[in-house]
Amino acid sequence: MSAPVAPRLTHEALLYESESSFLSPAARFCLDGLAQGEKVLAVLKRHNMDLLRGALESDAAAVEWVPADEWYEAPGRTLAAYHRYVEQHT
């Protein structure tokens, strides 16, 4: 009997210089995760959130969106929020 497989969690950071260098890899990352039946949490600046929502079109409804200025307000709260999110989705 094989051991159960633990859920895989991925945290990606993207360095970019323009909207296009942000949008293509971010959209691909989200769509790949959704296609695999994974939960996708996008913590972004509001401008980038609007861009990505537009690129994802109807798939945007399956993504959980959080404005970065709210999520990263305080390190302790950010870590607690990540912990809650992981507990809810694993």
Side-chain angles (χ1 to χ4, degrees), residues 25-56:
R28 185 173 47 253
F29 180 81
C30 291
L31 292 171
D32 288 350
L34 293 173
Q36 294 176 37
E38 299 172 352
K39 299 289 182 183
V40 176
L41 171 67
V43 181
L44 305 165
K45 293 180 181 180
R46 292 176 193 273
H47 174 74
N48 288 342
M49 194 179 297
D50 293 340
L51 289 172
L52 187 54
R53 275 187 175 137
L56 295 177

Side-chain angles (χ1 to χ4, degrees), residues 7-69:
R8 184 178 71 97
L9 303 174
T10 303
H11 178 239
E12 294 283 333
L14 173 63
L15 302 176
Y16 57 93
E17 294 179 348
S18 65
E19 288 179 0
S20 63
S21 65
F22 159 75
L23 199 51
S24 178
R28 185 173 47 253
F29 180 81
C30 291
L31 292 171
D32 288 350
L34 293 173
Q36 294 176 37
E38 299 172 352
K39 299 289 182 183
V40 176
L41 171 67
V43 181
L44 305 165
K45 293 180 181 180
R46 292 176 193 273
H47 174 74
N48 288 342
M49 194 179 297
D50 293 340
L51 289 172
L52 187 54
R53 275 187 175 137
L56 295 177
E57 298 175 340
S58 62
D59 290 313
V63 174
E64 186 171 344
W65 301 94
V66 180
D69 59 338

Side-chain angles (χ1 to χ4, degrees), residues 11 41 43 68-85:
H11 178 239
L41 171 67
V43 181
D69 59 338
E70 294 174 16
W71 189 261
Y72 295 114
E73 193 171 49
R77 283 183 276 198
T78 300
L79 291 173
Y82 272 123
H83 179 74
R84 282 190 304 275
Y85 184 84

